[in-house]
Amino acid sequence: MGDHDGSKLDHENHLLLDQPLLRLPFELLRKNFRSAHWEVERDGSYVKNTLKETATSSVNGRASQDDVLRSLDTMLARMRGVKRKLTAFADEEDRLHRHEEARLRHLSELYSMHGVDDVKYEVWSRTRLDRLLVDYLLRHGYNDSARALAEERGIELLVDVETFEQMSRIRKSLLNGSVNEALAWCTAGDTKKELRKINSNLEFMLRYQQYIELVRNPSQNKPNEALAHARKYLLPYKDIYPKEVRRACGLLAIPPGTAPLVPSYADLYSASRWSTLADLFTATHNDLLSLPSIPLLHIALSSGLSALKTPACHANRGGGSRSSSSSSSTEPPSSSSEEPQSQSQHHQEPQRHAPAPSSAAPPSHATSLSLAASVCPICSTELNELARAVPYAFHSKSHVEHDLLLLPNGRAYGKARLDEYARKAGLLDGQVKDLRTGEVFGVDRLKKVYIT
């Protein structure tokens, strides 16, 4: 029953990691609809007002026939432009619907599987791993590699290459010292209104950086351009960002050459501000689209490491010490796990972490370390340091054998299993045999283990 429970799929926990898979197309559909609605409202209002003015002027005799025809031509051209934009919005909506349909179909396949030992689950989990790798590559700017991997695996509809490519392009322009693309993104369609809803300061900080660059290079700009920029884009926010506006005013008296002499203004001319702006844009972009701030691969990896980690995993590597008494305890659990199968495998063999009693010669440090690493992934050289900072798993059900006994060589087994193995091996009464090494010990040398 324990093995069956350990291999059973928890569909809800699996889907926790896949929420962005469905949420991002939904957010993009909302954004696409809002942008289309904004275009219709703006151009519709223009046409209505222009038509009303033209009709009034024509009736009152203030407009000639040629003026009326020119006005009508302007309105027709404007509406043709609206039609082209709406066609593009419709195409984008169809594309997003295809993505949503493919993702729903992909996730629905999970519910046809009931355990991790299902052969279909291996294929499904491989596809999910490919998705996580593409997400990781996109977040770190490896767009060509991400696109190539998505095409090779045939998962183009399960990843969002175009969205992250746009974000990467804007981020790169900020790192290259240009705010134009980021400002265009902030003011495009309905984005400006959405930024106000989440109280984002991205647009203000971009305008602020524009002002700094105007002050930095006065010879390349008109003398009063910096002042005009400040009056238009910074002063209206003096109540919301008073510190930044005051520093902007004082910056006029601090040329770049003298900024190091005034520490409170030196950071405004620092090149590191572009990296800060790029990070601010990335965080704002993720907030608007309900994307996690870190790659999904990191979340899955930390969850998997936490599911396997126990306090003993770092005890032999300077991360702590264990008592040599027959009583054993673990630290309070502090994390949940999504991999019940991994938990089961990790705790079905607790003997690898059991301490050796003082009455027997303990194995050498190197031997015990190698033995632990051979059966515990977290104790391995590759994963031990990586798992040091993750919390311990929360185990709602114990998979440790009942009535655990500690052998002199540091291994621990359940009493029922030791008795059965001794009977099959034909040992004398009062003797038990190590299931792995074959060593024989008297029962008087065994110690009972308590895990609290």
Side-chain angles (χ1 to χ4, degrees), residues 41-62:
E41 288 290 323
R42 186 188 63 172
D43 291 320
S45 299
Y46 169 81
V47 171
K48 289 178 183 178
N49 295 334
T50 304
L51 183 60
K52 183 178 179 179
E53 292 174 3
T54 301
T56 303
S57 300
S58 178
V59 170
N60 294 337
R62 294 196 303 268

Side-chain angles (χ1 to χ4, degrees), residues 234-256:
L234 303 184
L235 288 180
Y237 296 94
K238 61 183 178 183
D239 295 330
I240 304 176
Y241 308 107
K243 179 181 177 182
E244 287 78 4
V245 173
R246 285 197 301 268
R247 296 183 74 193
C249 296
L251 195 65
L252 292 171
I254 311 293

Side-chain angles (χ1 to χ4, degrees), residues 21 25 94-106 131 150-151 154-162:
L21 185 68
D94 289 340
R95 184 186 72 84
L96 293 173
H97 278 306
R98 289 197 300 272
H99 278 244
E100 196 79 37
E101 182 182 0
R103 296 170 191 210
L104 285 171
R105 187 166 55 248
H106 169 66
R131 289 195 293 104
E151 292 175 354
I155 57 173
E156 295 94 329
L157 296 180
L158 302 180
V159 293
D160 300 280
V161 178
E162 295 82 3

Side-chain angles (χ1 to χ4, degrees), residues 133-176:
L133 290 174
V134 171
D135 174 82
Y136 179 86
L137 292 172
L138 290 172
R139 287 174 180 269
H140 286 78
Y142 303 111
N143 300 326
D144 294 338
S145 298
R147 185 178 288 276
L149 177 60
E151 292 175 354
E152 179 184 349
R153 302 298 187 185
I155 57 173
E156 295 94 329
L157 296 180
L158 302 180
V159 293
D160 300 280
V161 178
E162 295 82 3
T163 300
F164 282 99
E165 280 182 340
Q166 181 194 33
M167 182 187 74
S168 178
R169 184 175 63 254
I170 297 175
R171 180 181 173 86
K172 187 178 296 185
S173 70
L174 287 171
L175 293 175
N176 290 334

Side-chain angles (χ1 to χ4, degrees), residues 93-214:
E93 185 176 349
D94 289 340
R95 184 186 72 84
L96 293 173
H97 278 306
R98 289 197 300 272
H99 278 244
E100 196 79 37
E101 182 182 0
R103 296 170 191 210
L104 285 171
R105 187 166 55 248
H106 169 66
L107 293 181
S108 65
E109 293 175 359
L110 182 65
Y111 283 89
S112 65
M113 313 166 199
H114 302 289
V116 295
D117 51 356
D118 192 322
V119 65
K120 293 184 294 183
Y121 178 74
E122 182 178 354
V123 178
W124 189 91
S125 59
R126 171 58 63 178
T127 301
R128 183 171 70 165
L129 177 59
D130 291 336
R131 289 195 293 104
L132 299 183
L133 290 174
V134 171
D135 174 82
Y136 179 86
L137 292 172
L138 290 172
R139 287 174 180 269
H140 286 78
Y142 303 111
N143 300 326
D144 294 338
S145 298
R147 185 178 288 276
L149 177 60
E151 292 175 354
E152 179 184 349
R153 302 298 187 185
I155 57 173
E156 295 94 329
L157 296 180
L158 302 180
V159 293
D160 300 280
V161 178
E162 295 82 3
T163 300
F164 282 99
E165 280 182 340
Q166 181 194 33
M167 182 187 74
S168 178
R169 184 175 63 254
I170 297 175
R171 180 181 173 86
K172 187 178 296 185
S173 70
L174 287 171
L175 293 175
N176 290 334
S178 173
V179 299
N180 296 330
E181 286 196 45
L183 281 173
W185 179 83
C186 289
T187 57
D190 203 44
T191 305
K192 191 180 186 74
K193 185 186 298 184
E194 293 298 313
L195 290 176
R196 284 200 297 266
K197 286 183 179 179
I198 63 174
N199 296 320
S200 172
N201 65 340
L202 175 61
E203 184 179 356
F204 174 82
M205 297 307 296
L206 292 173
R207 299 292 187 187
Y208 194 48
Q209 188 64 36
Q210 270 189 320
Y211 171 79
I212 293 173
E213 297 306 313
L214 290 174

Side-chain angles (χ1 to χ4, degrees), residues 248-307:
C249 296
L251 195 65
L252 292 171
I254 311 293
T258 60
L261 303 177
V262 187
S264 58
Y265 285 90
D267 64 303
L268 294 181
Y269 290 115
S270 173
S272 63
R273 286 185 59 85
W274 292 107
S275 297
T276 303
L277 281 175
D279 293 339
L280 177 60
F281 164 75
T282 302
T284 305
H285 177 273
N286 291 340
D287 286 344
L288 280 183
L289 297 181
S290 301
L291 289 171
S293 58
I294 61 176
L296 295 174
L297 183 62
H298 289 183
I299 300 175
L301 182 59
S302 62
S303 176
L305 292 174
S306 178

Side-chain angles (χ1 to χ4, degrees), residues 330-358:
T330 62
E331 294 186 16
S334 58
S335 174
S336 61
S337 169
E338 296 181 18
E339 306 291 344
Q341 174 68 7
S342 299
Q343 290 183 24
S344 175
Q345 292 174 353
H346 188 69
H347 288 277
Q348 280 175 353
E349 298 188 33
Q351 64 272 14
R352 65 185 183 282
H353 291 316
S358 57

